[in-house]
Amino acid sequence: LGKVTFDMIDRELMADFLNYREQNRGCSTVTRNHRLECIRAFYKYAAQEDIALVTYYDEIQKVKVAKVPETIVEHMSTNAIQSILSQPDTSTDRGKRDAFLMLFLYKTGARVQELVDVRICDIQLSDTPRVLLHGKGAKSRAIPLRDDVVQHLKKYLALFHESESQYSDQYLFYSVRNQKKKRMTEQNVRSIVSKFGSMARETNKEVPEQVHPHLFRHSW
C-alpha cells in the first residue's frame, strides 16, 4: 500500500474496481455506490490538504454513480393496520399489552430489535414526548410520540410498570420467566404480530397473508 500513488489511479481503473466489486464479489449496486462515495470523500480530503491533488479529485468525480434498480416496498393499507390493531381482547391485561405493543411498533416506525430494547428510561413524557430508539451500529435516534400513543403509553405504564420510576432501566415490553421480568424477544413480537395478522385477514382481505413487524415500519 505504501507504494500506491495518486498517479496510478484514474477513472477507468476506478470504474473497473467498482465493476469487479459488483460482478465478481457479489456486492449490490447500493454497496458499489457507497464504495465510490467513500473514495470520493477521501479524495476531497486529500485535495483540501494538498491543492496539487485537485486534478485527481476531479478525475474521480467523473466516475458515474450506478443507477439503483427501483424496488417496491411492501406495506399495508391504513385499513389493514386498523384491522390488526383491533384484534387483541383489551378486556384482558395481555390483550392490552399486545394492542399497545403493535400500536407502538407502528407509530414509532421501530425495528423489532429497537422495540424490544426500549427501556422506561428511554421514554420522555415532557412537553415534547419522545422515545430514544437504539438502532444498528450503536446509533440512537429520538422519535416523537403522538398524542394517541402517549395516552395509551400512560395507561400501559400504570398497568405494567406501576412501581417503576421514569429513570428505571426495566424493559418497556417484557415476558415473565421464572417469576422474573425478562426482555421480550424478537420472536415473541413476531409471533404476536403474525397471530393477529392471521386473525384480521379472516375478515379483511387487505391484510397480507404473512404479517411481520417490519411491515408496520414500512407502512408508517
Side-chain angles (χ1 to χ4, degrees), residues 11 18 24 31 43 49 57 60 69-70 80 82 118 121 128 130 134 136 146 169 171 187 201 218 220:
R11 78 180 84 167
L18 295 171
N24 296 75
T31 300
Y43 271 72
E49 293 296 307
Y57 170 64
I60 296 302
E70 293 185 6
Q82 294 302 325
V118 171
C121 57
T128 55
R130 59 191 181 275
H134 305 283
K136 299 177 180 178
R146 299 193 171 216
D169 63 355
Y171 289 106
Q187 186 54 45
R201 184 170 170 76
H218 285 172
W220 183 248

Side-chain angles (χ1 to χ4, degrees), residues 79-87 194-208 211:
N79 183 32
I81 290 284
Q82 294 302 325
S83 294
I84 297 172
L85 294 180
S86 66
Q87 293 305 312
S194 178
K195 170 187 173 182
F196 292 115
S198 297
M199 290 172 60
R201 184 170 170 76
E202 292 180 2
T203 56
N204 186 346
K205 297 308 177 185
E206 287 188 28
V207 177
V211 179

Side-chain angles (χ1 to χ4, degrees), residues 119-121 164-165 167-171:
R119 299 174 187 265
I120 295 176
C121 57
E164 302 288 347
S165 75
Y167 307 108
S168 171
D169 63 355
Q170 176 63 253
Y171 289 106

Side-chain angles (χ1 to χ4, degrees), residues 4-203:
V4 176
T5 66
F6 286 96
D7 290 327
M8 296 178 181
I9 303 172
D10 58 17
R11 78 180 84 167
E12 291 184 4
L13 180 64
M14 186 57 60
D16 287 343
F17 165 71
L18 295 171
N19 288 336
Y20 164 77
R21 296 292 302 181
E22 189 171 10
Q23 298 170 8
N24 296 75
R25 297 298 298 275
C27 292
S28 68
T29 305
V30 172
T31 300
R32 171 199 173 106
N33 289 339
H34 180 256
R35 294 287 186 277
L36 177 58
E37 288 305 313
C38 291
I39 293 168
R40 283 179 171 178
F42 168 70
Y43 271 72
K44 181 179 180 181
Y45 163 76
Q48 289 172 339
E49 293 296 307
D50 184 351
I51 195 171
L53 301 178
V54 170
T55 55
Y56 299 107
Y57 170 64
D58 291 339
E59 178 77 0
I60 296 302
Q61 286 295 101
K62 295 174 183 177
V63 179
K64 294 183 178 180
V65 174
K67 185 176 181 180
V68 179
E70 293 185 6
T71 56
I72 298 176
V73 178
E74 185 184 14
H75 65 282
M76 294 184 285
S77 66
T78 302
N79 183 32
I81 290 284
Q82 294 302 325
S83 294
I84 297 172
L85 294 180
S86 66
Q87 293 305 312
D89 179 4
T90 53
S91 66
T92 67
D93 288 350
R94 177 171 294 229
K96 290 183 176 72
R97 181 203 67 179
D98 293 345
F100 175 68
L101 182 149
M102 292 191 294
L103 177 71
F104 194 85
L105 179 69
Y106 174 50
K107 293 209 169 182
T108 61
R111 298 179 177 89
V112 62
Q113 169 262 313
E114 295 171 339
L115 177 80
V116 295
D117 280 347
V118 171
R119 299 174 187 265
I120 295 176
C121 57
D122 292 323
I123 298 170
Q124 178 67 268
L125 294 178
S126 58
D127 294 336
T128 55
R130 59 191 181 275
V131 59
L132 190 65
L133 298 180
H134 305 283
K136 299 177 180 178
K139 294 180 180 179
S140 300
R141 65 186 191 282
I143 303 297
L145 297 177
R146 299 193 171 216
D147 291 342
D148 57 339
V149 178
V150 171
Q151 292 173 9
H152 288 289
L153 173 59
K154 290 179 178 179
K155 294 177 182 178
Y156 175 85
L157 291 173
L159 182 61
F160 290 96
H161 294 285
E162 182 181 9
S163 60
E164 302 288 347
S165 75
Q166 65 185 38
Y167 307 108
S168 171
D169 63 355
Q170 176 63 253
Y171 289 106
L172 180 64
F173 299 106
Y174 60 85
S175 299
V176 178
R177 298 191 292 274
N178 297 324
Q179 298 182 336
K180 293 184 179 180
K181 295 179 180 179
K182 302 287 187 179
R183 171 187 178 274
M184 182 178 286
T185 67
E186 288 88 339
Q187 186 54 45
N188 289 150
V189 178
R190 294 188 185 99
S191 296
I192 291 170
V193 169
S194 178
K195 170 187 173 182
F196 292 115
S198 297
M199 290 172 60
R201 184 170 170 76
E202 292 180 2
T203 56

